[in-house]
Amino acid sequence: MGDVRSAGPASGAVPSTDMPAEAGWHAGRDAGDAALPAILMTVTVGGGSVFPAAEGALREFHGLRIRAAPHGGREVAATGCVVDPREARFASPQLDRLGGELGLRLFPFGRTDADAALAVDEEGRLLALGTGGAWFLGATVREGLAVLTEGVAPVRLRPPRWRFPLPGLPADLAGAVRAALVAVYVLHSSGVFGARAVRLRATTFRGIGVVAVDEEFRLRRGALEENAEPLTEAMSARLDAAGVRAGGCELTLTVTAPPGTDGPSATVECGVTVGGDRTHGPALTLSAGLSTSFGPAAKALGACADALADWSASTAGTPVS
């Protein structure tokens, strides 16, 4: 459900019904006397530590039992919740694992009427974790509660992956190099990361496949198109040295984040494969870790995917020279 590039109501949107307010929430609410012991018990039982965004959210909303909107849900079934970190403390190990995949700390926030654990991250965003997986509810707790109680489709947290067929791409090393350089350009112009190298992996067709070459080739300074010929020549020489022919291998050229890249961008990978799939032909893939499934990283990755999709469509019936 949902789209990785959006998450429920726009920031500051006023819900058609205000279920938290009906449950007793108001601006400036502070349930500190009740919230702080609940936080301490959650830490004692579940482990971990509280952080400012979680403490602030719990002081503001702790103790509320929020009903689902009476209209049943705008896009999906609306559900209510109880805001009390102790209600989600036994989900702490799962929340810790989810936080590790996201690269963020999470703290229990409460439980939905459908028994999904609610959690707040370090940026004050609200997430849910249940039997159906992990979900991003909102950029703030207020927005997240509106998504939940109004029945707005949340964002499913899953590692993004796209596949773009390249019907006009020559199924050879030179074609793969040119596609990889397009990926380098699109990743950079979309604000994902600036690549400094392309990795070549050559797998022979013998038996179950033998990796003959797995090596990184650095990009030269200057215009990207000026890299095409030198890269192709260097990779061809490496294949020759390994005693394999480009036409007798599956070739995968991968563009990854350079060492030292922080945040979700470090998990993004773009690759082009030629020679292996004789049925569907050359293709380019874009994949990333769970941490790119929402927020600014998702927006940048979505722009990258759109650009690659446009380029993929442009190759149909028009060989890439």
Side-chain angles (χ1 to χ4, degrees), residues 76-123:
V76 298
T79 183
C81 66
V82 57
V83 181
D84 186 333
R86 295 170 295 188
E87 293 286 335
R89 67 187 184 278
F90 295 114
S92 291
Q94 294 93 329
L95 291 175
D96 287 344
R97 286 195 292 272
L98 175 61
E101 292 183 72
L102 295 173
L104 293 163
R105 287 185 296 168
L106 302 178
F107 194 81
F109 182 74
R111 175 181 52 80
T112 74
D113 291 349
D115 282 330
L118 294 173
V120 179
D121 74 2
E122 294 172 274
E123 302 296 326

Side-chain angles (χ1 to χ4, degrees), residues 277-311:
D277 190 339
R278 303 302 177 90
T279 304
H280 298 98
L284 189 148
T285 58
L286 175 65
S287 59
L290 196 64
S291 55
T292 61
S293 54
F294 66 93
K299 185 175 181 180
L301 197 62
C304 183
D306 288 343
L308 291 174
D310 289 343
W311 183 70

